[in-house]
Amino acid sequence: MTRLVLGVDPGTAVTGYGVVAFDGRTATLVECGVIRTNAKDPLPSRLHNIHDGISELIARHEPDTVAVEDVFYARNVRTTIVLGHARGVILLAAQQAQREIREYPPAEIKKAITGNGAATKEQVRYMVARL
C-alpha cells in the first residue's frame, strides 16, 4: 500500500515542502518546492498565503500524513515566535483537511537525512538532492 507524505519546513519568507510516496520499500519524490511570501506584506497576509498554499497542496495530493518540523529555539526570540505562527497555520491546514500530523525535531530530521543532527542547511540541501 502506497502512502503519501507531505513534509513541510516552515518559514514566513520561504516554506519548503516535499510530497513523497512510500510503497513500503522505496520512497519516490512526487513534488517539491517552496511557498514564498513578500517580506513587505503584513504578517497576517503572509500567514494567509502559507495556509492557502499548504491547503492547496493537501487538496491536490491528498497525503495520508503531513510531517512538520517541530519548534526550534532560535537565539532571536522574535524569530522563534514568528516561526511558531507559520507552523500554526500549517498545522491548521492539515487539521482542517483531517490529515494525520507528525512533528519532528530539526535535529532528528537532519540526522535522518545526513547522519548528523547538527548538519548545516547546505549539508541537508546537498543530501536531499542526492537522495
Side-chain angles (χ1 to χ4, degrees):
M1 177 176 137
T2 300
R3 292 183 51 86
L4 277 178
V5 176
L6 168 60
V8 184
D9 182 5
T12 52
V14 178
T15 293
Y17 69 87
V19 180
V20 178
F22 291 103
D23 69 3
R25 284 199 242 180
T26 59
T28 304
L29 178 64
V30 175
E31 179 183 338
C32 64
V34 296
I35 300 167
R36 292 188 190 277
T37 64
N38 187 334
K40 295 179 182 178
D41 289 345
L43 181 59
S45 175
R46 296 170 79 184
L47 294 173
H48 185 260
N49 290 343
I50 295 166
H51 180 272
D52 282 355
I54 296 296
S55 294
E56 190 275 327
L57 286 167
I58 292 171
R60 184 159 29 103
H61 292 289
E62 298 183 355
D64 300 293
T65 304
V66 176
V68 182
E69 184 178 71
D70 205 351
V71 175
F72 76 95
Y73 304 98
R75 289 189 186 116
N76 182 335
V77 174
R78 177 169 164 66
T79 300
T80 302
I81 291 170
V82 172
L83 180 62
H85 292 318
R87 286 186 73 255
V89 298
I90 293 163
L91 295 173
L92 175 62
Q95 184 62 41
Q96 286 175 327
Q98 300 179 338
R99 302 299 166 191
E100 175 185 23
I101 299 168
R102 297 287 179 108
E103 299 175 75
Y104 297 96
E108 189 176 320
I109 296 167
K110 290 176 182 180
K111 186 170 184 177
I113 293 171
T114 68
N116 175 6
T120 65
K121 284 185 181 271
E122 290 74 26
Q123 290 169 319
V124 173
R125 186 176 301 124
Y126 174 80
M127 285 306 296
V128 167
R130 299 280 301 174
L131 294 170

